[in-house]
Amino acid sequence: MVTQSVLSKTVTIQYVAVLREQAQRSSEVLQTSAANYLELYQQLQAKYGFSLAAEDVKVAVNHEFCDLTRPIDEGALAVFIPPVCGG
Amino acid sequence: MLRFLIVDSTIQPAELSRLLVNNTAGALVTFEGWVRNHSQGKPVLSLEYEVYEILAQKEGEKILREAHAKFGLCGAVACHRQGHLAIGDIAVWVGATAEHRGAAFAGARYIIDAIKERLPIWKKEYYWGEPPRWVLCQKAKPLFQQFHKNAIARQPCGDTP
């Protein structure tokens, strides 16, 4: 239990576009022991049934594009980015 | 003058062009992206653009700085709509000024291409008689496309150089 709480990080997830619709929420605060954002996405994919594979998304952490393999930052705001389609 | 804008209301090209007035410039090239009434052979009723504003603003400004440095532009302005758009609306506007037309054309092209490839903006198409779909402007992956063909439409994203 102690080990779990030491490893667990608090992260706020903001959902956009198709991910927001599939999660049926705009944001949530989670405790996670995921090693990185890739693992966190895979956990959320299993939870909400996201149709986008991890290889199709990017992540922004605290409003900066980051590599999915970046370790989870305590207190971070993470936004998983589906393939973009502006213009 | 480098300015990137995200707006909720009708894009006004004349106002945006005025931002670029500069007596050292000999050329202004502008691009307008319009909402068309069809996509992939299907009639389209309207579009919705969702924008991750904070990141799109930062990335949009970065694109303009890149174009300015790369092509020696005198100025560059780009504006993207968000929210629900009707057929014929301007979805995106780009203007680039330079001493000569070559750099202005190249700069405008660079900016619109980068906007389409890099900005965290998503498009949802609304159709007659079927549910709306998010459009993913990337090369289709057959397995992926088959897996969630009812939720998402993949399509080629504009011209290639």
Short mmCIF file of all heavy atoms in Angstrom, two decimals, chain B residues 106-158:
data_model
loop_
_atom_site.label_atom_id
_atom_site.label_comp_id
_atom_site.label_asym_id
_atom_site.label_seq_id
_atom_site.Cartn_x
_atom_site.Cartn_y
_atom_site.Cartn_z
N ALA B 106 5.96 30.98 -51.62
CA ALA B 106 6.56 29.87 -50.87
C ALA B 106 6.20 29.96 -49.39
O ALA B 106 5.91 28.95 -48.74
CB ALA B 106 8.07 29.87 -51.05
N GLY B 107 6.21 31.18 -48.86
CA GLY B 107 5.89 31.36 -47.45
C GLY B 107 4.45 31.00 -47.15
O GLY B 107 4.15 30.32 -46.16
N ALA B 108 3.53 31.45 -48.02
CA ALA B 108 2.12 31.13 -47.80
C ALA B 108 1.89 29.62 -47.87
O ALA B 108 1.15 29.05 -47.07
CB ALA B 108 1.25 31.85 -48.83
N ARG B 109 2.55 28.97 -48.82
CA ARG B 109 2.41 27.53 -48.98
C ARG B 109 2.93 26.79 -47.74
O ARG B 109 2.31 25.85 -47.24
CB ARG B 109 3.17 27.07 -50.22
CG ARG B 109 3.17 25.57 -50.47
CD ARG B 109 1.81 25.13 -50.98
NE ARG B 109 1.65 23.71 -50.98
CZ ARG B 109 1.23 23.00 -52.03
NH1 ARG B 109 0.97 23.60 -53.17
NH2 ARG B 109 1.06 21.71 -51.94
N TYR B 110 4.08 27.24 -47.27
CA TYR B 110 4.67 26.61 -46.09
C TYR B 110 3.72 26.73 -44.89
O TYR B 110 3.50 25.77 -44.14
CB TYR B 110 6.00 27.29 -45.76
CG TYR B 110 6.69 26.74 -44.54
CD1 TYR B 110 7.57 25.67 -44.63
CD2 TYR B 110 6.45 27.29 -43.27
CE1 TYR B 110 8.19 25.14 -43.50
CE2 TYR B 110 7.07 26.78 -42.14
CZ TYR B 110 7.94 25.71 -42.27
OH TYR B 110 8.56 25.20 -41.14
N ILE B 111 3.14 27.90 -44.73
CA ILE B 111 2.28 28.15 -43.57
C ILE B 111 1.01 27.29 -43.61
O ILE B 111 0.66 26.64 -42.63
CB ILE B 111 1.92 29.65 -43.47
CG1 ILE B 111 3.18 30.46 -43.14
CG2 ILE B 111 0.84 29.89 -42.43
CD1 ILE B 111 3.05 31.96 -43.38
N ILE B 112 0.33 27.26 -44.76
CA ILE B 112 -0.91 26.48 -44.80
C ILE B 112 -0.62 24.99 -44.67
O ILE B 112 -1.36 24.26 -44.00
CB ILE B 112 -1.76 26.80 -46.06
CG1 ILE B 112 -3.11 26.07 -45.99
CG2 ILE B 112 -1.04 26.47 -47.35
CD1 ILE B 112 -3.96 26.39 -44.77
N ASP B 113 0.47 24.54 -45.28
CA ASP B 113 0.81 23.12 -45.13
C ASP B 113 1.10 22.77 -43.68
O ASP B 113 0.67 21.72 -43.17
CB ASP B 113 2.03 22.77 -46.00
CG ASP B 113 1.69 22.70 -47.48
OD1 ASP B 113 0.49 22.78 -47.83
OD2 ASP B 113 2.62 22.60 -48.30
N ALA B 114 1.84 23.63 -43.00
CA ALA B 114 2.19 23.36 -41.59
C ALA B 114 0.96 23.44 -40.71
O ALA B 114 0.81 22.65 -39.76
CB ALA B 114 3.25 24.35 -41.13
N ILE B 115 0.05 24.36 -41.00
CA ILE B 115 -1.19 24.46 -40.22
C ILE B 115 -1.95 23.14 -40.31
O ILE B 115 -2.43 22.60 -39.32
CB ILE B 115 -2.06 25.63 -40.74
CG1 ILE B 115 -1.48 26.96 -40.24
CG2 ILE B 115 -3.52 25.48 -40.32
CD1 ILE B 115 -2.15 28.19 -40.84
N LYS B 116 -2.04 22.61 -41.52
CA LYS B 116 -2.81 21.37 -41.71
C LYS B 116 -2.13 20.17 -41.04
O LYS B 116 -2.79 19.25 -40.58
CB LYS B 116 -3.01 21.10 -43.21
CG LYS B 116 -3.92 22.12 -43.88
CD LYS B 116 -4.03 21.92 -45.36
CE LYS B 116 -5.01 20.83 -45.72
NZ LYS B 116 -6.41 21.23 -45.56
N GLU B 117 -0.81 20.19 -41.04
CA GLU B 117 -0.08 19.02 -40.51
C GLU B 117 0.13 19.07 -39.01
O GLU B 117 0.24 18.02 -38.36
CB GLU B 117 1.30 18.94 -41.18
CG GLU B 117 1.23 18.52 -42.64
CD GLU B 117 2.56 18.73 -43.35
OE1 GLU B 117 3.57 19.00 -42.66
OE2 GLU B 117 2.58 18.64 -44.59
N ARG B 118 0.22 20.27 -38.44
CA ARG B 118 0.73 20.36 -37.07
C ARG B 118 -0.23 20.91 -36.02
O ARG B 118 -0.07 20.61 -34.84
CB ARG B 118 2.01 21.22 -37.07
CG ARG B 118 3.16 20.53 -37.73
CD ARG B 118 4.30 21.46 -38.11
NE ARG B 118 4.72 22.35 -37.05
CZ ARG B 118 5.65 23.30 -37.20
NH1 ARG B 118 6.27 23.43 -38.39
NH2 ARG B 118 5.98 24.09 -36.21
N LEU B 119 -1.18 21.73 -36.42
CA LEU B 119 -1.99 22.36 -35.38
C LEU B 119 -3.00 21.38 -34.79
O LEU B 119 -3.63 20.62 -35.51
CB LEU B 119 -2.74 23.56 -35.95
CG LEU B 119 -1.90 24.76 -36.34
CD1 LEU B 119 -2.77 26.00 -36.49
CD2 LEU B 119 -0.80 25.04 -35.34
N PRO B 120 -3.16 21.40 -33.46
CA PRO B 120 -4.14 20.52 -32.83
C PRO B 120 -5.57 21.03 -33.07
O PRO B 120 -6.17 21.68 -32.22
CB PRO B 120 -3.74 20.55 -31.35
CG PRO B 120 -3.05 21.86 -31.17
CD PRO B 120 -2.39 22.19 -32.48
N ILE B 121 -6.06 20.71 -34.26
CA ILE B 121 -7.39 21.11 -34.70
C ILE B 121 -8.04 19.87 -35.31
O ILE B 121 -7.39 19.15 -36.07
CB ILE B 121 -7.32 22.25 -35.74
CG1 ILE B 121 -6.71 23.51 -35.10
CG2 ILE B 121 -8.71 22.56 -36.30
CD1 ILE B 121 -6.50 24.66 -36.07
N TRP B 122 -9.31 19.67 -34.99
CA TRP B 122 -10.02 18.48 -35.48
C TRP B 122 -11.31 18.90 -36.18
O TRP B 122 -11.97 19.85 -35.75
CB TRP B 122 -10.32 17.53 -34.32
CG TRP B 122 -9.06 17.11 -33.65
CD1 TRP B 122 -8.21 16.12 -34.04
CD2 TRP B 122 -8.44 17.72 -32.51
NE1 TRP B 122 -7.12 16.07 -33.20
CE2 TRP B 122 -7.24 17.04 -32.26
CE3 TRP B 122 -8.79 18.79 -31.67
CZ2 TRP B 122 -6.39 17.38 -31.20
CZ3 TRP B 122 -7.94 19.13 -30.63
CH2 TRP B 122 -6.76 18.42 -30.40
N LYS B 123 -11.63 18.15 -37.23
CA LYS B 123 -12.78 18.50 -38.07
C LYS B 123 -13.82 17.39 -38.01
O LYS B 123 -13.49 16.21 -38.21
CB LYS B 123 -12.30 18.69 -39.51
CG LYS B 123 -13.41 19.01 -40.49
CD LYS B 123 -12.89 19.49 -41.83
CE LYS B 123 -12.18 18.41 -42.61
NZ LYS B 123 -11.76 18.88 -43.94
N LYS B 124 -15.05 17.80 -37.78
CA LYS B 124 -16.17 16.85 -37.79
C LYS B 124 -17.09 17.23 -38.93
O LYS B 124 -17.52 18.39 -39.02
CB LYS B 124 -16.91 16.93 -36.45
CG LYS B 124 -17.87 15.81 -36.19
CD LYS B 124 -18.44 15.96 -34.77
CE LYS B 124 -19.14 14.70 -34.32
NZ LYS B 124 -19.67 14.86 -32.96
N GLU B 125 -17.39 16.28 -39.78
CA GLU B 125 -18.28 16.54 -40.91
C GLU B 125 -19.69 16.07 -40.60
O GLU B 125 -19.88 14.98 -40.04
CB GLU B 125 -17.77 15.81 -42.17
CG GLU B 125 -16.50 16.41 -42.73
CD GLU B 125 -16.01 15.70 -43.99
OE1 GLU B 125 -16.45 14.55 -44.25
OE2 GLU B 125 -15.17 16.28 -44.71
N TYR B 126 -20.66 16.88 -41.01
CA TYR B 126 -22.08 16.55 -40.84
C TYR B 126 -22.67 16.25 -42.22
O TYR B 126 -22.45 17.01 -43.16
CB TYR B 126 -22.82 17.71 -40.17
CG TYR B 126 -22.46 17.87 -38.71
CD1 TYR B 126 -21.25 18.46 -38.34
CD2 TYR B 126 -23.31 17.43 -37.70
CE1 TYR B 126 -20.91 18.59 -37.00
CE2 TYR B 126 -22.96 17.57 -36.36
CZ TYR B 126 -21.76 18.15 -36.02
OH TYR B 126 -21.42 18.27 -34.70
N TYR B 127 -23.42 15.15 -42.31
CA TYR B 127 -23.96 14.68 -43.59
C TYR B 127 -25.48 14.59 -43.54
O TYR B 127 -26.09 14.60 -42.47
CB TYR B 127 -23.41 13.28 -43.91
CG TYR B 127 -21.93 13.11 -43.72
CD1 TYR B 127 -21.44 12.46 -42.59
CD2 TYR B 127 -21.02 13.58 -44.66
CE1 TYR B 127 -20.07 12.28 -42.40
CE2 TYR B 127 -19.65 13.40 -44.49
CZ TYR B 127 -19.19 12.75 -43.35
OH TYR B 127 -17.84 12.57 -43.16
N TRP B 128 -26.04 14.45 -44.71
CA TRP B 128 -27.46 14.10 -44.81
C TRP B 128 -27.62 12.63 -44.45
O TRP B 128 -26.93 11.78 -44.97
CB TRP B 128 -27.97 14.28 -46.24
CG TRP B 128 -28.22 15.68 -46.68
CD1 TRP B 128 -27.49 16.40 -47.59
CD2 TRP B 128 -29.26 16.55 -46.22
NE1 TRP B 128 -28.01 17.65 -47.73
CE2 TRP B 128 -29.10 17.77 -46.89
CE3 TRP B 128 -30.30 16.40 -45.30
CZ2 TRP B 128 -29.94 18.85 -46.69
CZ3 TRP B 128 -31.14 17.49 -45.09
CH2 TRP B 128 -30.96 18.69 -45.78
N GLY B 129 -28.56 12.32 -43.57
CA GLY B 129 -29.02 10.96 -43.38
C GLY B 129 -28.07 10.00 -42.72
O GLY B 129 -28.31 8.79 -42.74
N GLU B 130 -26.98 10.49 -42.14
CA GLU B 130 -26.08 9.59 -41.42
C GLU B 130 -25.34 10.39 -40.34
O GLU B 130 -25.27 11.61 -40.41
CB GLU B 130 -25.10 8.88 -42.35
CG GLU B 130 -24.19 9.78 -43.14
CD GLU B 130 -23.27 8.97 -44.05
OE1 GLU B 130 -22.26 8.47 -43.56
OE2 GLU B 130 -23.60 8.84 -45.24
N PRO B 131 -24.80 9.68 -39.35
CA PRO B 131 -24.18 10.40 -38.23
C PRO B 131 -22.95 11.18 -38.66
O PRO B 131 -22.27 10.81 -39.62
CB PRO B 131 -23.77 9.27 -37.27
CG PRO B 131 -24.52 8.07 -37.71
CD PRO B 131 -24.76 8.23 -39.18
N PRO B 132 -22.66 12.27 -37.95
CA PRO B 132 -21.43 13.02 -38.25
C PRO B 132 -20.19 12.18 -37.92
O PRO B 132 -20.26 11.25 -37.11
CB PRO B 132 -21.52 14.23 -37.32
CG PRO B 132 -22.44 13.82 -36.23
CD PRO B 132 -23.40 12.83 -36.82
N ARG B 133 -19.07 12.53 -38.57
CA ARG B 133 -17.84 11.77 -38.33
C ARG B 133 -16.64 12.71 -38.20
O ARG B 133 -16.53 13.71 -38.91
CB ARG B 133 -17.57 10.80 -39.48
CG ARG B 133 -18.59 9.69 -39.58
CD ARG B 133 -18.10 8.53 -40.40
NE ARG B 133 -17.88 8.85 -41.80
CZ ARG B 133 -17.48 7.98 -42.71
NH1 ARG B 133 -17.26 6.72 -42.37
NH2 ARG B 133 -17.30 8.33 -43.96
N TRP B 134 -15.73 12.34 -37.30
CA TRP B 134 -14.45 13.04 -37.22
C TRP B 134 -13.60 12.61 -38.41
O TRP B 134 -13.53 11.43 -38.73
CB TRP B 134 -13.73 12.70 -35.92
CG TRP B 134 -14.44 13.23 -34.73
CD1 TRP B 134 -15.28 12.55 -33.89
CD2 TRP B 134 -14.40 14.57 -34.23
NE1 TRP B 134 -15.77 13.37 -32.92
CE2 TRP B 134 -15.24 14.63 -33.10
CE3 TRP B 134 -13.75 15.73 -34.63
CZ2 TRP B 134 -15.44 15.79 -32.36
CZ3 TRP B 134 -13.93 16.90 -33.90
CH2 TRP B 134 -14.77 16.93 -32.77
N VAL B 135 -12.94 13.57 -39.01
CA VAL B 135 -12.11 13.29 -40.17
C VAL B 135 -10.65 13.26 -39.73
O VAL B 135 -10.18 14.19 -39.07
CB VAL B 135 -12.29 14.36 -41.27
CG1 VAL B 135 -11.39 14.09 -42.45
CG2 VAL B 135 -13.75 14.41 -41.70
N LEU B 136 -9.96 12.19 -40.08
CA LEU B 136 -8.54 12.07 -39.76
C LEU B 136 -7.74 12.26 -41.03
O LEU B 136 -7.80 11.43 -41.93
CB LEU B 136 -8.24 10.70 -39.15
CG LEU B 136 -9.10 10.29 -37.96
CD1 LEU B 136 -8.62 8.96 -37.40
CD2 LEU B 136 -9.08 11.35 -36.88
N CYS B 137 -7.01 13.35 -41.10
CA CYS B 137 -6.27 13.65 -42.32
C CYS B 137 -4.90 12.97 -42.31
O CYS B 137 -3.88 13.62 -42.18
CB CYS B 137 -6.10 15.15 -42.48
SG CYS B 137 -7.65 15.99 -42.71
N GLN B 138 -4.90 11.68 -42.39
CA GLN B 138 -3.65 10.94 -42.47
C GLN B 138 -3.85 9.79 -43.44
O GLN B 138 -4.97 9.44 -43.78
CB GLN B 138 -3.27 10.37 -41.10
CG GLN B 138 -2.78 11.44 -40.15
CD GLN B 138 -2.17 10.82 -38.92
OE1 GLN B 138 -2.42 9.68 -38.60
NE2 GLN B 138 -1.33 11.59 -38.24
N LYS B 139 -2.75 9.19 -43.83
CA LYS B 139 -2.85 8.04 -44.70
C LYS B 139 -3.61 6.93 -43.97
O LYS B 139 -3.33 6.62 -42.83
CB LYS B 139 -1.46 7.53 -45.09
CG LYS B 139 -0.77 8.45 -46.08
CD LYS B 139 0.58 7.91 -46.47
CE LYS B 139 1.27 8.84 -47.45
NZ LYS B 139 2.62 8.39 -47.77
N ALA B 140 -4.57 6.37 -44.66
CA ALA B 140 -5.40 5.34 -44.03
C ALA B 140 -4.59 4.09 -43.74
O ALA B 140 -3.70 3.71 -44.49
CB ALA B 140 -6.56 4.99 -44.94
N LYS B 141 -4.89 3.50 -42.60
CA LYS B 141 -4.30 2.21 -42.27
C LYS B 141 -5.44 1.21 -42.35
O LYS B 141 -6.41 1.33 -41.61
CB LYS B 141 -3.72 2.25 -40.85
CG LYS B 141 -2.58 3.24 -40.73
CD LYS B 141 -2.09 3.29 -39.31
CE LYS B 141 -0.99 4.32 -39.18
NZ LYS B 141 -0.53 4.47 -37.80
N PRO B 142 -5.36 0.24 -43.26
CA PRO B 142 -6.50 -0.63 -43.52
C PRO B 142 -7.14 -1.23 -42.28
O PRO B 142 -8.34 -1.16 -42.09
CB PRO B 142 -5.91 -1.70 -44.42
CG PRO B 142 -4.77 -1.02 -45.11
CD PRO B 142 -4.22 -0.06 -44.11
N LEU B 143 -6.34 -1.79 -41.36
CA LEU B 143 -6.91 -2.42 -40.18
C LEU B 143 -7.62 -1.41 -39.30
O LEU B 143 -8.72 -1.63 -38.81
CB LEU B 143 -5.82 -3.13 -39.37
CG LEU B 143 -5.32 -4.45 -39.95
CD1 LEU B 143 -4.18 -4.98 -39.12
CD2 LEU B 143 -6.46 -5.47 -39.97
N PHE B 144 -6.96 -0.27 -39.13
CA PHE B 144 -7.51 0.79 -38.31
C PHE B 144 -8.84 1.26 -38.90
O PHE B 144 -9.84 1.40 -38.22
CB PHE B 144 -6.51 1.95 -38.29
CG PHE B 144 -7.01 3.18 -37.60
CD1 PHE B 144 -6.71 3.40 -36.27
CD2 PHE B 144 -7.76 4.11 -38.28
CE1 PHE B 144 -7.17 4.53 -35.64
CE2 PHE B 144 -8.22 5.24 -37.65
CZ PHE B 144 -7.92 5.45 -36.33
N GLN B 145 -8.83 1.48 -40.19
CA GLN B 145 -10.01 2.01 -40.85
C GLN B 145 -11.19 1.04 -40.71
O GLN B 145 -12.31 1.43 -40.45
CB GLN B 145 -9.70 2.23 -42.32
CG GLN B 145 -10.69 3.13 -43.02
CD GLN B 145 -10.17 3.51 -44.38
OE1 GLN B 145 -9.47 2.74 -45.02
NE2 GLN B 145 -10.50 4.69 -44.82
N GLN B 146 -10.87 -0.24 -40.82
CA GLN B 146 -11.92 -1.25 -40.73
C GLN B 146 -12.49 -1.31 -39.32
O GLN B 146 -13.68 -1.47 -39.11
CB GLN B 146 -11.34 -2.60 -41.12
CG GLN B 146 -12.38 -3.70 -41.21
CD GLN B 146 -11.73 -5.01 -41.63
OE1 GLN B 146 -10.51 -5.13 -41.67
NE2 GLN B 146 -12.55 -5.97 -41.96
N PHE B 147 -11.60 -1.12 -38.34
CA PHE B 147 -11.99 -1.30 -36.95
C PHE B 147 -13.03 -0.28 -36.49
O PHE B 147 -13.96 -0.60 -35.79
CB PHE B 147 -10.74 -1.20 -36.06
CG PHE B 147 -11.02 -1.38 -34.60
CD1 PHE B 147 -11.62 -2.53 -34.13
CD2 PHE B 147 -10.67 -0.40 -33.70
CE1 PHE B 147 -11.87 -2.70 -32.79
CE2 PHE B 147 -10.91 -0.56 -32.36
CZ PHE B 147 -11.52 -1.70 -31.90
N HIS B 148 -12.85 0.96 -36.91
CA HIS B 148 -13.83 1.95 -36.45
C HIS B 148 -14.32 2.81 -37.60
O HIS B 148 -14.39 4.01 -37.55
CB HIS B 148 -13.26 2.81 -35.33
CG HIS B 148 -11.94 3.41 -35.62
ND1 HIS B 148 -10.78 2.74 -35.40
CD2 HIS B 148 -11.60 4.61 -36.11
CE1 HIS B 148 -9.77 3.51 -35.74
NE2 HIS B 148 -10.24 4.64 -36.18
N LYS B 149 -14.71 2.13 -38.66
CA LYS B 149 -15.13 2.85 -39.85
C LYS B 149 -16.40 3.67 -39.63
O LYS B 149 -16.67 4.59 -40.39
CB LYS B 149 -15.34 1.86 -41.00
CG LYS B 149 -16.40 0.81 -40.75
CD LYS B 149 -16.42 -0.21 -41.87
CE LYS B 149 -17.43 -1.30 -41.56
NZ LYS B 149 -17.37 -2.40 -42.54
N ASN B 150 -17.17 3.35 -38.59
CA ASN B 150 -18.41 4.09 -38.39
C ASN B 150 -18.21 5.36 -37.56
O ASN B 150 -19.09 6.20 -37.51
CB ASN B 150 -19.45 3.19 -37.71
CG ASN B 150 -19.85 2.05 -38.62
OD1 ASN B 150 -19.92 2.23 -39.83
ND2 ASN B 150 -20.11 0.90 -38.04
N ALA B 151 -17.09 5.46 -36.88
CA ALA B 151 -16.89 6.61 -36.01
C ALA B 151 -16.02 7.67 -36.64
O ALA B 151 -16.15 8.85 -36.35
CB ALA B 151 -16.26 6.17 -34.69
N ILE B 152 -15.13 7.25 -37.52
CA ILE B 152 -14.11 8.16 -38.02
C ILE B 152 -13.97 7.96 -39.52
O ILE B 152 -14.02 6.84 -40.01
CB ILE B 152 -12.76 7.87 -37.33
CG1 ILE B 152 -12.86 8.16 -35.84
CG2 ILE B 152 -11.64 8.67 -37.96
CD1 ILE B 152 -11.69 7.68 -35.05
N ALA B 153 -13.79 9.05 -40.24
CA ALA B 153 -13.52 8.97 -41.67
C ALA B 153 -12.09 9.41 -41.92
O ALA B 153 -11.69 10.48 -41.51
CB ALA B 153 -14.48 9.88 -42.42
N ARG B 154 -11.32 8.53 -42.56
CA ARG B 154 -9.97 8.95 -42.94
C ARG B 154 -10.00 9.42 -44.38
O ARG B 154 -10.66 8.82 -45.22
CB ARG B 154 -8.99 7.79 -42.81
CG ARG B 154 -8.60 7.50 -41.38
CD ARG B 154 -7.43 6.56 -41.34
NE ARG B 154 -7.07 6.25 -39.98
CZ ARG B 154 -6.09 6.85 -39.32
NH1 ARG B 154 -5.38 7.79 -39.89
NH2 ARG B 154 -5.81 6.50 -38.08
N GLN B 155 -9.29 10.47 -44.65
CA GLN B 155 -9.26 10.95 -46.02
C GLN B 155 -7.94 11.65 -46.30
O GLN B 155 -7.31 12.17 -45.39
CB GLN B 155 -10.43 11.87 -46.31
CG GLN B 155 -10.48 13.11 -45.45
CD GLN B 155 -11.72 13.94 -45.72
OE1 GLN B 155 -11.63 15.12 -45.98
NE2 GLN B 155 -12.88 13.31 -45.65
N PRO B 156 -7.51 11.65 -47.55
CA PRO B 156 -6.30 12.38 -47.88
C PRO B 156 -6.49 13.84 -47.56
O PRO B 156 -7.60 14.37 -47.67
CB PRO B 156 -6.14 12.15 -49.38
CG PRO B 156 -7.46 11.69 -49.86
CD PRO B 156 -8.14 11.02 -48.71
N CYS B 157 -5.42 14.47 -47.12
CA CYS B 157 -5.54 15.81 -46.59
C CYS B 157 -4.94 16.83 -47.56
O CYS B 157 -3.79 17.21 -47.44
CB CYS B 157 -4.86 15.89 -45.24
SG CYS B 157 -5.34 17.33 -44.31
N GLY B 158 -5.69 17.23 -48.52
CA GLY B 158 -5.29 18.32 -49.40
C GLY B 158 -4.24 17.92 -50.42
O GLY B 158 -3.98 16.75 -50.66
#
